[in-house]
Amino acid sequence: MKYRQLFRDRRTSSSFSSSFSWVELGDGIRRKMSKEESESRVPLPTNARPFALSDLTGQNDNQIYDLVVNGKTFHARKRDWRTTQEGMARLLHADRVFFDSKQPRYVNYLDDFAVTPLNNVWTDTSAAGFAERKVYVVETNTKVIQRCLLMTTDPGDLVLDPTCGSGTTAFVSEQWGRRWITCDTSRVAVTLAKQRLMTALFDYYKLAHPEEGVGSGFRYKSVPHVTLRSIANNPEIRAGMSREEIDAAIAKQAPQETLYDQPYLDKNKARVTGPFTVEAVPAPTVRPLSDIESEQPADESVARTGPTLRQEEWRDELLKTGIRGKGGQMMRFSRIEPLGGTRYLHVDAETDGESPERVVVSFGSVDAPLEQRQVELAFEEAHSLMPKPSIIVFAAFQFDPEAAKDIDALTKEKTGMTFLKAQMNTDLLTDDLKKKRASNQSFWLIGQPEVYTRKVEDGKWQVEVHGFDYYNTRTGNIESGDTSKIAMWMLDTDYDGRSLYPRQVFFPMADGKGGWSKLAKNLRAQIDDELIEAYRGIVSLPFEPGEHGRVAVKIVDDRGIESLRVAEVG
């Protein structure tokens, strides 16, 4: 892995007072700093230059000679001088030798190298003092992520964060011109990260080669790194030069250190996050079981045959916690048992209450979305049961969009049964860490998005979101909701059936200080207030249909539960 050295300003370092304890005044007088000056309790005089003194001897290649200055002779004793006689003469011409004791010492000004390399102790990233506001207790300080990225990546490199959280890694990557991929098992985390990224304002950095794009890197500030060696080997320094001429010669020959955390800004431009979100349902390609030769009969079901250990745990949790609905409603069960003789229905249950109803449950897979085929086959099995169940619940960590569409289309009027989707909390995947209590929020009823499409002028279309249709656990009916609990919704105007590319994003619950309003305020520019207000609403902007002739609307409610609705247009 490549590694890039980063630096910090010496003047903010705790070693400032101990290392640079001398000062040269504007008239050339050099003296020791007072205690108050070294502790920064009083300012240094105007034009004063702090400096440190270091030894002029060391272990070199036989640089042993007598140094004669103003008729006084100095010996290197048992060690060698750090430079040749010619180099020592240049140090004397540059007034870089100080005689405060028996031996001469080298004068190292603070501004010779005003930064110091960062080591592996980052005390400036601790949470003490005025720390950044955190969304999560375990959220990483942005300065830590920034430092890691700047040390190990270049602009245009790809950064992966598989535990998104509030999106800090993606946020910092976007800020510093790195491409990024991030994901999370929590829909709340992903939603927070989306809003944080889309409503953020970033500085615009000047590119090293604008015609090549961000991959060419940025133009960075640099600082001279003046050393004893660079002065001693500087051929431009000679006797009789003025102080300004000597300083210019030193600066000209000194190597430069690049400050990778200080690119040049273009203050005439501001940068916002471009289109970035791609949400895809995993679609692993596997060989059909019928293609695999085996001595045992192949099982071609999409769900596992018979009760598995994992499903037994889910049954126990379902009996203990029930399924949570809208507004604190609960669907609780008086009985839950494994359902024998079926492949796609895994639970036979009975609701708790005065009028109990038979409920069957079909669980999705641990590592794949619940598929359309499972919906179809589970429905066929439920149809053959006697007595027929009143409710079929499909419980999964993730739903294939087409499967969710089919479940929503299977109404009580058509089938005589109520079809419901339940979101399974990812805590169920870590049963050993999950607390065993009835108040766990392990299963949530997912509302059915109520979405309308309409054709407008110039052949364009609009989408309007009317909220969710929720199952009322008290009445047993599907009831229309409203839009008050929609935290965010996204529109893909050309849905390909697999991946969701949000072309328009809305934050209906955001107030004047959040969502797109926050970005508009930060831009400090002329903003179309009506457009910003539209992105807080429930009606999309007009759009032209894409080649697939379908749109997809993903709605995230205030609980972080997602629902997807697909509609035909064009």
Side-chain angles (χ1 to χ4, degrees):
M1 177 185 290
K2 58 188 174 186
Y3 172 78
R4 180 182 292 114
Q5 181 66 62
L6 299 180
F7 302 92
R8 73 192 316 180
D9 195 321
R10 282 184 185 271
R11 289 161 290 193
T12 61
S13 172
S14 59
S15 63
F16 170 79
S17 58
S18 59
S19 300
F20 294 88
S21 57
W22 291 77
V23 63
E24 180 181 287
L25 305 180
D27 56 6
I29 296 177
R30 291 169 172 169
R31 64 169 174 82
K32 192 86 171 177
M33 286 187 186
S34 67
K35 183 178 181 181
E36 291 77 11
E37 289 173 333
S38 63
E39 294 176 353
S40 300
R41 286 187 287 161
V42 298
L44 294 175
T46 304
N47 297 326
R49 297 179 72 185
F51 67 90
L53 296 175
S54 60
D55 200 346
L56 270 171
T57 62
Q59 300 296 330
N60 296 293
D61 297 329
N62 296 320
Q63 299 295 342
I64 301 174
Y65 53 85
D66 291 337
L67 175 61
V68 181
V69 180
N70 296 330
K72 189 173 182 179
T73 302
F74 298 92
H75 305 285
R77 297 181 180 178
K78 297 180 180 180
R79 307 178 75 188
D80 302 340
W81 296 111
R82 290 172 60 187
T83 184
T84 63
Q85 286 183 288
E86 184 180 9
M88 188 68 75
R90 292 190 179 115
L91 293 178
L92 290 168
H93 293 326
D95 200 15
R96 288 300 184 111
V97 182
F98 186 62
F99 303 90
D100 73 317
S101 60
K102 294 182 180 180
Q103 283 292 101
R105 291 197 284 171
Y106 171 68
V107 175
N108 179 22
Y109 292 109
L110 176 63
D111 53 20
D112 280 348
F113 191 43
V115 296
T116 183
L118 278 171
N119 56 24
N120 59 351
V121 179
W122 297 351
T123 56
D124 60 330
T125 63
S126 63
F130 299 96
E132 297 176 338
R133 185 179 68 86
K134 293 186 175 182
V135 177
Y136 300 108
V137 175
V138 295
E139 184 178 333
T140 307
N141 189 322
T142 55
K143 184 179 287 187
V144 175
I145 303 296
Q146 170 186 311
R147 199 162 284 174
C148 293
L149 288 185
L150 294 178
M151 285 194 304
T152 57
T153 66
D154 293 316
D157 283 356
L158 181 61
V159 178
L160 169 65
D161 180 7
T163 54
C164 176
S166 64
T168 303
T169 300
F171 180 88
V172 175
S173 299
E174 181 73 22
Q175 177 184 3
W176 291 96
R178 274 65 171 172
R179 297 175 299 135
W180 51 267
I181 298 174
T182 190
C183 55
D184 204 292
T185 57
S186 168
R187 289 163 170 78
V188 176
V190 173
T191 301
L192 284 171
K194 288 175 188 171
Q195 179 161 342
R196 179 180 182 183
L197 282 156
M198 285 187 287
T199 62
L201 184 69
F202 301 103
D203 290 325
Y204 189 93
Y205 302 135
K206 295 182 178 179
L207 299 176
H209 303 285
E211 67 281 358
E212 298 178 14
V214 71
S216 67
F218 302 131
R219 290 174 53 198
Y220 299 99
K221 296 178 182 178
S222 62
V223 292
H225 192 171
V226 178
T227 63
L228 182 152
R229 181 186 296 272
S230 69
I231 298 175
N233 294 335
N234 191 327
E236 296 186 14
I237 296 177
R238 59 187 184 279
M241 295 176 69
S242 67
R243 186 59 178 269
E244 290 78 10
E245 291 173 329
I246 290 176
D247 287 345
I250 291 174
K252 180 180 177 181
Q253 296 292 332
Q256 299 289 312
E257 295 287 356
T258 301
L259 304 181
Y260 290 100
D261 61 342
Q262 297 186 43
Y264 284 103
L265 300 180
D266 186 341
K267 296 183 179 180
N268 296 320
K269 298 178 182 177
R271 188 167 57 86
V272 296
T273 309
F276 63 85
T277 305
V278 177
E279 298 184 9
V281 174
T285 301
V286 297
R287 294 172 59 192
L289 292 177
S290 57
D291 291 350
I292 304 175
E293 294 183 2
S294 173
E295 297 178 358
Q296 301 295 327
D299 177 8
E300 300 184 36
S301 65
V302 292
R304 293 182 180 179
T305 301
T308 65
L309 176 61
R310 183 76 78 175
Q311 289 172 358
E312 182 180 348
E313 295 169 352
W314 296 343
R315 287 198 306 270
D316 293 342
E317 185 77 5
L318 193 59
L319 179 62
K320 185 188 307 177
T321 67
I323 303 177
R324 294 183 176 269
K326 178 187 177 185
Q329 292 184 4
M330 293 293 301
M331 178 186 289
R332 294 197 178 276
F333 303 96
S334 60
R335 174 184 62 83
I336 286 184
E337 301 171 352
L339 186 59
T342 57
R343 293 182 175 182
Y344 310 98
L345 297 175
H346 310 108
V347 170
D348 187 15
E350 190 174 89
T351 59
D352 190 15
E354 296 181 359
S355 302
E357 294 182 293
R358 186 183 187 187
V359 179
V360 292
V361 180
S362 178
F363 287 122
S365 172
V366 173
D367 50 13
L370 190 146
E371 298 175 349
Q372 193 175 24
R373 173 172 159 82
Q374 182 169 340
V375 175
E376 178 186 349
L377 297 177
F379 172 52
E380 290 180 2
E381 288 186 342
H383 219 31
S384 65
L385 295 176
M386 294 299 293
K388 186 186 297 184
S390 300
I391 301 172
I392 301 179
V393 176
F394 291 92
F397 297 102
Q398 194 172 36
F399 289 87
D400 179 271
E402 295 302 318
K405 181 180 177 182
D406 285 357
I407 296 172
D408 292 342
L410 292 168
T411 63
K412 189 173 184 179
E413 290 75 18
K414 295 179 181 178
T415 65
M417 295 178 283
T418 299
F419 289 76
L420 301 176
K421 301 191 299 291
Q423 179 71 55
M424 296 172 66
N425 194 315
T426 50
D427 289 348
L428 293 169
L429 296 174
T430 54
D431 189 67
D432 55 330
L433 301 178
K434 180 170 57 61
K435 295 180 179 180
K436 311 295 183 182
R437 58 190 183 190
S439 60
N440 287 345
Q441 299 179 4
S442 299
F443 299 89
W444 289 89
L445 281 180
I446 301 177
Q448 299 178 8
E450 192 174 352
V451 175
Y452 294 90
T453 60
R454 59 173 175 262
K455 196 171 184 179
V456 294
E457 58 184 13
D458 299 330
K460 295 184 178 180
W461 287 71
Q462 269 186 320
V463 169
E464 184 172 353
V465 176
H466 284 200
F468 298 91
D469 291 340
Y470 285 101
Y471 177 74
N472 189 318
T473 61
R474 300 187 183 97
T475 65
N477 297 322
I478 302 293
E479 299 177 352
S480 296
D482 56 32
T483 60
S484 62
K485 299 300 183 182
I486 297 178
M488 174 184 182
W489 67 279
M490 299 174 289
L491 171 65
D492 183 349
T493 58
D494 188 23
Y495 181 55
D496 64 1
R498 294 186 60 184
S499 301
L500 185 75
Y501 294 81
R503 269 76 172 187
Q504 299 181 26
V505 181
F506 302 81
F507 302 109
M509 292 183 68
D511 56 21
K513 297 181 180 179
W516 296 116
S517 298
K518 174 186 174 183
L519 177 60
K521 182 179 179 181
N522 290 339
L523 283 172
R524 298 187 184 92
Q526 185 175 355
I527 298 296
D528 188 333
D529 293 331
E530 293 185 1
L531 188 59
I532 291 296
E533 188 63 29
Y535 280 117
R536 290 173 54 188
I538 58 173
V539 180
S540 75
L541 302 180
F543 61 88
E544 295 182 357
E547 61 176 304
H548 296 96
R550 290 188 297 178
V551 299
V553 179
K554 175 171 282 191
I555 305 177
V556 185
D557 68 12
D558 58 339
R559 304 170 299 171
I561 302 299
E562 296 181 353
S563 301
L564 183 70
R565 192 63 176 265
V566 179
E568 305 290 331
V569 296

